[in-house]
């Protein structure tokens, strides 16, 4: 009975005035030994059953979030002449990669309330994660984490980089770095008008190591002892070979 009622309510609900119809240039990324990054083309259109509504300009926002990972953020302080970790926080989950591209400045196309609701900007995305307090000022540590990852090009905001034509067709290119974490990269496309989100489209990109990269990764995680011994053997062999070569070159 409850299920039937939900179905009836869904059928009775009015259709969205504007909907996202989108696709990606690729939904799988393979990481090999020669992988130096990739670019994902996001493109699509706005589907309407009526003329363009009156009001503020239409905004398109694209986000790509890598797999979550646990992070420890610590602050160093100089004590007794040496630098030591004095306090920090444990972040239970933070995106390993996060990119935002928009057709308008975020402040124009997205209200603070909607950003809080959907966790779109990197700052709101980090504030939404779980963090265990070990310090008195958790927001300051999250801001530091945000700064570090932005400097490493792991978090990025590219405003006004989504091309929107006649408030109907849109496209955006988002660069993925070379040091990607394996897993699903959740991709969301938001339509906004007057600062409010009016429709959302969600899909994902699967990133996986292949070839030699896959073999090394599996060996390191599934057979760490063998991986360590093999690494030690390679290091010793390389050192011996280098010393032999220099002995012949420089008698």
């Amino acid at each position: 009975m409850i299920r039937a009622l939900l179905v009836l309510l869904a059928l009775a609900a009015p259709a969205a005035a504007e909907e996202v119809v989108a696709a990606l240039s690729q939904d799988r990324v393979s990481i090999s030994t020669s992988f130096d990054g990739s670019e994902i083309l996001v493109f699509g259109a706005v589907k309407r059953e009526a003329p363009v509504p009156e009001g503020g300009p239409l905004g398109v926002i694209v986000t790509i979030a890598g797999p979550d990972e646990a992070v420890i953020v610590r602050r160093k302080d100089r004590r007794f002449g040496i630098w030591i970790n004095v306090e920090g926080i444990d972040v239970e989950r933070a995106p390993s990669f996060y990119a935002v591209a928009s057709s308008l400045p975020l402040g124009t196309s997205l209200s603070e309330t909607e950003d809080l609701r959907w966790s779109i900007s990197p700052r709101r995305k980090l504030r939404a994660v779980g963090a265990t307090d070990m310090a008195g000022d958790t927001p300051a540590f999250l801001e530091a984490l945000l700064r570090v990852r932005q400097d490493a090009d792991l978090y990025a905001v590219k405003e006004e980089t989504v091309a929107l034509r006649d408030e109907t067709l849109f496209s955006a290119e988002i660069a993925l770095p070379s040091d990607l974490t394996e897993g699903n990269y959740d991709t969301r496309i938001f339509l906004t008008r007057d600062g409010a989100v009016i429709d959302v489209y969600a899909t994902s990109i699967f990133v996986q190591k292949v070839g030699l990269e896959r073999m090394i990764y599996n060996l390191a995680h599934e057979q760490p002892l063998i991986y360590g011994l093999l690494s030690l053997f390679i290091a010793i062999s390389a050192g011996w070979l280098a010393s032999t070569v220099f002995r012949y070159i420089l008698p």
Side-chain angles (χ1 to χ4, degrees):
M1 177 66 71
I2 296 178
R3 182 178 297 179
L5 180 60
L6 291 175
V7 171
L8 290 175
L9 289 175
L11 293 175
E18 297 174 290
E19 299 179 9
V20 183
V21 180
L24 307 176
S25 58
Q26 53 182 325
D27 58 7
R28 299 181 70 90
V29 174
S30 298
I31 302 177
S32 62
T33 52
S34 59
F35 181 77
D36 59 355
S38 181
E39 279 198 345
I40 301 295
L41 173 64
V42 182
F43 58 94
V46 181
K47 178 183 176 182
R48 300 184 179 92
E49 300 292 341
V52 177
E54 295 182 358
L58 180 71
V60 179
I61 303 173
V62 180
T63 69
I64 298 181
D68 290 339
E69 59 186 12
V71 181
I72 299 177
V73 186
R74 298 191 183 278
R75 182 175 69 85
K76 290 183 179 292
D77 196 10
R78 192 175 181 86
R79 301 285 177 85
F80 308 108
I82 60 174
W83 289 95
I84 61 173
N85 294 321
V86 292
E87 56 183 357
I89 61 170
D90 286 328
V91 180
E92 296 176 3
R93 61 187 193 283
S96 55
F97 171 82
Y98 193 68
V100 181
S102 62
S103 60
L104 298 170
L106 285 182
T108 301
S109 59
L110 191 67
S111 69
E112 285 290 333
T113 302
E114 291 292 81
D115 193 11
L116 179 63
R117 176 188 177 193
W118 294 98
S119 300
I120 294 175
S121 68
R123 183 168 285 101
R124 286 299 180 188
K125 188 71 173 176
L126 272 184
R127 293 287 180 89
V129 306
T132 301
D133 282 312
M134 296 187 296
D137 191 5
T138 298
F141 282 86
L142 293 179
E143 288 291 335
L145 175 60
L146 178 61
R147 254 190 337 269
V148 169
R149 297 211 159 177
Q150 284 177 332
D151 292 342
D153 293 329
L154 293 176
Y155 287 5
V157 177
K158 304 294 184 181
E159 298 179 307
E160 299 181 272
T161 58
V162 176
L164 179 61
R165 300 169 183 83
D166 301 323
E167 292 201 350
T168 301
L169 302 176
F170 64 86
S171 63
E173 290 185 352
I174 297 182
L176 301 180
S178 58
D179 53 342
L180 291 177
T181 301
E182 274 196 310
N184 282 314
Y185 283 64
D186 296 327
T187 303
R188 300 181 297 172
I189 302 171
F190 298 89
L191 288 186
T192 68
R193 196 178 285 278
D194 294 323
V197 174
I198 58 177
D199 193 39
V200 184
Y201 176 90
T203 185
S204 65
I205 304 165
F206 184 65
V207 175
Q208 183 180 30
K209 292 180 173 66
V210 297
L212 182 60
E213 287 282 326
R214 162 57 57 183
M215 185 184 71
I216 294 174
Y217 180 87
N218 287 343
L219 187 63
H221 287 78
E222 297 173 7
Q223 301 288 340
L225 178 59
I226 296 177
Y227 175 79
L229 293 174
L230 183 60
S231 300
L232 182 61
F233 172 76
I234 293 174
I236 293 173
S237 300
W240 174 82
L241 181 62
S243 64
T244 302
V245 170
F246 277 109
R247 192 161 51 244
Y248 279 103
I249 295 177
L250 302 173

